[in-house]
Amino acid sequence: MPREVQTAVQVANMALRIMQASPIESFDEETLTAQTVRMYYDVVLRKCLTHYPWAFCKKEGELSELPESPLSFWQYAYRLPADFVDLRGLYCSTYHSPITRPPGRNLRSRAEIPAYEIVDGNIVCCNYAPP
């Protein structure tokens, strides 16, 4: 039987119960407890999501190239998605040429980019051109 999906308030209330604090009805309450939860919930959530490789939040996507890199050391810059939490690896997609791939198959391989830098949490810079 699948588990019930918990809302953010329900998750916060589970943590509050462990700390023997009063539960909240909403993050918008003007109680000290709700104000504290509002202050820390996103920070703690991101920390938990980056601490383990959770299968439900793994996602691959193509990054959009920016006109120039904000750092002179890196030649290329790419915008990270708005819902970005953590980067487990950066890869350049390449396609095998028709000569090297078996007939009728479009094989795709990934080359890992060994060096990159994240700037301001929303841009990744490297010295690899887009495919």
Side-chain angles (χ1 to χ4, degrees):
M1 184 159 122
R3 290 188 136 182
E4 180 184 333
V5 175
Q6 303 292 318
T7 67
V9 172
Q10 289 171 322
V11 171
N13 281 331
M14 285 187 271
L16 291 170
R17 190 173 302 122
I18 291 169
M19 297 184 305
Q20 298 179 347
S22 301
I24 60 172
E25 295 290 322
S26 163
F27 283 0
D28 298 327
E29 289 177 15
E30 288 305 319
T31 62
L32 179 60
T33 305
Q35 290 171 354
T36 305
V37 168
R38 276 196 308 270
M39 187 174 8
Y40 291 108
Y41 187 85
D42 286 336
V43 174
V44 173
L45 175 64
R46 285 182 175 274
K47 192 76 143 170
C48 289
L49 291 176
T50 60
H51 196 66
Y52 299 101
W54 300 101
F56 73 88
C57 63
K58 288 183 182 177
K59 188 165 134 181
E60 289 185 15
E62 190 172 318
L63 303 177
S64 55
E65 186 178 5
L66 297 173
E68 62 183 48
S69 175
L71 303 174
S72 60
F73 178 79
W74 302 109
Q75 189 173 359
Y76 300 97
Y78 303 92
R79 173 78 54 204
L80 292 168
D83 61 352
F84 170 76
V85 174
D86 189 31
L87 188 63
R88 299 287 177 176
L90 189 61
Y91 300 90
C92 179
S93 296
T94 57
Y95 290 92
H96 292 283
S97 72
I99 298 167
T100 61
R101 68 178 158 90
R105 299 205 47 211
N106 187 14
L107 295 179
R108 190 173 180 172
S109 66
R110 298 184 335 163
E112 185 167 7
I113 296 173
Y116 56 86
E117 186 172 348
I118 296 175
V119 181
D120 295 331
N122 61 3
I123 296 172
V124 64
C125 299
C126 64
N127 286 331
Y128 292 84

